[in-house]
Amino acid sequence: QVQLVESGGGLVQAGGSLRLSCAASGSIFSIPAMGWYRQTPGNQRELVATITSGDSTNYAVSVKGRFTISRDNAKNTVYLQMTSLKPEDTAVYYCNALIEIRRGFYGNDYWGQGTQVTVSS
């Protein structure tokens, strides 16, 4: 079994910063890609940022230049450094992973429990 545990959410004023962490554990051979998604009431879960094991990244237009995704492959952990936060960033943030459970066997339906980020105006 694979488990993703998130931390770092909270309440922050507009313009502030937060750093989210997500650590994967369990039966893992490798994690080719990890990402962060967010969801608010009335909206579908949307992609925020992704990163590959080779540190190739991509970002949603709405967060590009403000958020930075990174990972520590040795720790199977992905981070999301959020700066210049805006009220519209308020959401539940979920981490996701594409995991190679055993050599040649992959799964992408691995999610963290979600962590609330609230940005006040």
Side-chain angles (χ1 to χ4, degrees), residues 42-109:
N43 292 279
Q44 296 188 73
R45 189 172 298 184
E46 66 175 1
L47 176 66
V48 176
T50 60
I51 186 168
T52 69
S53 58
D55 290 334
S56 177
T57 61
N58 77 289
Y59 298 88
V61 172
S62 60
V63 307
K64 193 170 186 178
R66 300 187 297 118
F67 292 9
T68 302
I69 189 170
S70 62
R71 63 185 288 171
D72 185 333
N73 293 333
K75 296 180 179 179
N76 288 333
T77 299
V78 63
Y79 307 93
L80 186 68
Q81 179 66 52
M82 305 183 292
T83 62
S84 300
L85 282 162
K86 304 175 180 180
E88 49 263 45
D89 295 318
T90 295
V92 177
Y93 284 70
Y94 299 89
C95 67
N96 170 260
L98 168 62
I99 297 177
E100 188 179 20
I101 302 169
R102 297 173 60 192
R103 185 167 177 262
F105 294 87
Y106 298 84
N108 63 2
D109 194 23

